[in-house]
């Protein structure tokens, strides 16, 4: 046995206690399964100094958005595109959870159109309640869905920017609401479907990523535990780890790989995630990884 391990308690535990402690496994998982943050994955921004040499620099920080302070009145909001890209979906979700701004009990002012005085009719909220908003500040109607998911080709649809930026105020032509909604493939309906998708947590990318991440970690823990158990046995017996030929066709791949294959052949829950069934770059059988686990065991 290696002298570093002579003073360590590396005896193999009984079958019902064959798993190493959670802290030990977690410490090794942290070593091999580091997850980079989103900022680590972002490409560097390039800037030029006074000598026109291109130099990389990190992404600039941006002020944190207080979601509770987002203005409710659509006439006071800034455009979604003006927020930092990392914040936009959370802002959209916040507005969708609040629902459209619909001050039904407001005393709507009258505006003169020709010889008649007209005003916003609150009954329109009942007809277009899923998206219609009213701004007290601007005395104008807005579309929540198009505000949240305004597309580049929005100007091609009847209504131009009136339901997003300026606000709609022509109260004698309320048929424009129907024109704004348009057909199934209209810009408004595309924005409406984008809102529904964002609220549907089953389709939300963060949920999908979280589920996938949890599954990967569970599989990784099974794979790591199997490698650790084999290494503990070899250390206890003072055996060599590697063989002369560790190829797939070899009849004797060495003690570690042969023992791991034996363990997999007798345990289907392990066999599903180790050796040939493990990702090519995450088998946890490389000599360097064996040495790292041995060092962790000795420590």
């Amino acid at each position: 046995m290696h002298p570093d391990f002579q003073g360590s308690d590396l005896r193999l535990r009984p079958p019902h206690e064959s798993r190493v402690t959670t802290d030990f496994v977690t410490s090794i998982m942290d070593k091999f399964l580091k997850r980079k943050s989103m900022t680590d994955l972002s490409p560097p921004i390039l800037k030029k100094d006074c000598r026109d040499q291109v130099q990389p620099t990190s992404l600039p920080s941006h002020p944190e958005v207080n979601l509770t302070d987002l203005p409710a009145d659509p006439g006071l909001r800034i455009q979604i595109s003006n927020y930092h890209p990392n914040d936009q979906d959370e802002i959209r979700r916040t507005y969708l959870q609040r629902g459209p701004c619909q001050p039904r009990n407001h005393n709507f002012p009258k505006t003169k159109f020709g010889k008649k005085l007209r005003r916003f009719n609150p009954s329109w909220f009942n007809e277009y309640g899923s998206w219609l908003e009213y701004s007290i500040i601007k005395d104008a109607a807005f579309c929540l869905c198009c505000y949240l998911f305004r597309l580049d080709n929005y100007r091609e649809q009847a209504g131009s920017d009136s339901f997003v930026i300026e606000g709609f105020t022509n109260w004698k032509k309320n048929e424009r609401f129907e024109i704004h909604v348009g057909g199934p493939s209209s810009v408004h309906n595309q924005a409406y479907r984008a809102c529904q998708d964002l609220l549907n947590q089953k389709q939300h990318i963060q949920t999908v990523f979280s589920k996938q991440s949890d599954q990967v970690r569970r599989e990784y823990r099974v794979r790591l535990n199997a490698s650790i158990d084999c290494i503990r046995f070899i250390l206890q017996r003072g055996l060599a780890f590697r063989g002369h030929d560790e190829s797939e066709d070899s009849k004797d791949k060495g003690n570690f790989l042969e023992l791991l294959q034996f363990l997999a052949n007798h345990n289907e829950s392990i066999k599903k995630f180790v050796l040939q069934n493990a990702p090519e770059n995450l088998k946890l059988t490389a000599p360097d990884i064996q040495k790292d686990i041995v060092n962790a065991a000795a420590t």
Side-chain angles (χ1 to χ4, degrees):
M1 182 179 294
H2 193 285
D4 288 347
F5 310 133
Q6 289 177 357
S8 302
D9 182 12
L10 298 175
R11 291 170 297 174
L12 192 66
R13 291 180 289 175
H16 67 280
E17 295 180 354
S18 63
R19 290 293 173 266
V20 294
T21 63
T22 301
D23 290 343
F24 180 47
V25 175
T26 302
S27 67
I28 300 177
M29 287 183 69
D30 289 342
K31 183 178 182 64
F32 294 108
L33 196 62
K34 291 181 179 178
R35 291 169 58 187
K36 293 186 177 182
S37 65
M38 294 303 294
T39 52
D40 293 336
L41 299 176
S42 301
I45 295 177
L46 301 180
K47 66 179 183 179
K48 291 188 177 181
D49 62 11
C50 57
R51 293 167 297 178
D52 291 333
Q53 293 178 338
V54 179
Q55 298 179 339
T57 186
S58 58
L59 281 170
S61 60
H62 66 284
E64 185 177 349
V65 176
N66 188 343
L67 298 177
T68 60
D69 290 341
L70 294 174
D73 190 301
L76 297 176
R77 299 171 189 162
I78 65 173
Q79 294 303 301
I80 289 291
S81 58
N82 291 338
Y83 288 104
H84 193 278
N86 291 350
D87 297 328
Q88 290 177 10
D89 271 359
E90 281 303 314
I91 293 169
R92 290 184 177 111
R93 192 175 293 106
T94 299
Y95 274 120
L96 288 170
Q97 289 170 345
R98 288 182 185 178
C101 178
Q102 298 177 345
R104 294 172 181 266
N105 297 324
H106 176 63
N107 184 18
F108 297 96
K110 295 181 179 180
T111 304
K112 192 170 183 179
F113 290 90
K115 296 181 179 180
K116 291 185 178 181
L117 291 174
R118 299 179 184 272
R119 64 171 188 164
F120 179 91
N121 188 342
S123 67
W124 294 334
F125 288 142
N126 299 329
E127 193 171 355
Y128 308 103
S130 62
W131 60 268
L132 183 60
E133 297 190 292
Y134 176 83
S135 168
I136 294 177
I137 298 296
K138 290 189 173 183
D139 182 29
F142 289 83
C143 175
L144 176 62
C145 299
C146 292
Y147 164 70
L148 298 178
F149 287 96
R150 183 170 181 266
L151 305 178
D152 292 337
N153 60 343
Y154 187 90
R155 293 178 182 275
E156 298 175 6
Q157 182 175 335
S160 185
D161 289 332
S162 58
F163 283 93
V164 177
I165 298 177
E166 300 142 7
F168 177 77
T169 57
N170 193 350
W171 308 134
K172 74 173 183 177
K173 293 186 178 181
N174 58 315
E175 66 272 11
R176 292 287 289 277
F177 293 156
E178 287 294 338
I179 297 174
H180 171 74
V181 172
S185 299
S186 69
V187 175
H188 168 85
N189 281 317
Q190 291 180 50
Y192 179 81
R193 286 191 291 270
C195 291
Q196 298 304 305
D197 289 344
L198 186 63
L199 285 179
N200 186 345
Q201 291 301 311
K202 290 182 180 179
Q203 296 180 14
H204 190 240
I205 189 169
Q206 289 184 354
T207 301
V208 174
F209 178 78
S210 177
K211 288 182 179 178
Q212 184 186 41
S213 233
D214 290 342
Q215 178 65 20
V216 168
R217 292 183 72 85
R218 283 194 294 270
E219 293 176 4
Y220 185 91
R221 183 176 288 272
V222 172
R223 199 175 301 122
L224 179 60
N225 268 320
S227 291
I228 290 174
D229 283 349
C230 292
I231 286 174
R232 286 171 61 89
F233 180 84
I234 293 173
L235 287 173
Q236 184 195 41
R237 306 304 301 171
L239 303 174
F241 277 69
R242 303 191 64 189
H244 293 293
D245 182 4
E246 295 185 342
S247 64
E248 291 289 335
D249 299 330
S250 174
K251 299 297 184 181
D252 184 2
K253 300 182 180 69
N255 288 324
F256 174 73
L257 291 179
E258 291 291 345
L259 184 58
L260 184 59
Q261 185 68 66
F262 176 86
L263 184 63
N265 290 341
H266 289 78
N267 191 320
E268 284 297 325
S269 62
I270 293 177
K271 186 176 183 178
K272 290 188 296 186
F273 307 120
V274 301
L275 296 174
Q276 298 88 348
N277 296 325
E280 192 64 34
N281 62 341
L282 201 61
K283 292 182 180 295
L284 296 183
T285 57
D288 287 344
I289 293 178
Q290 295 177 37
K291 292 177 183 177
D292 282 339
I293 296 176
V294 168
N295 289 332
T299 301

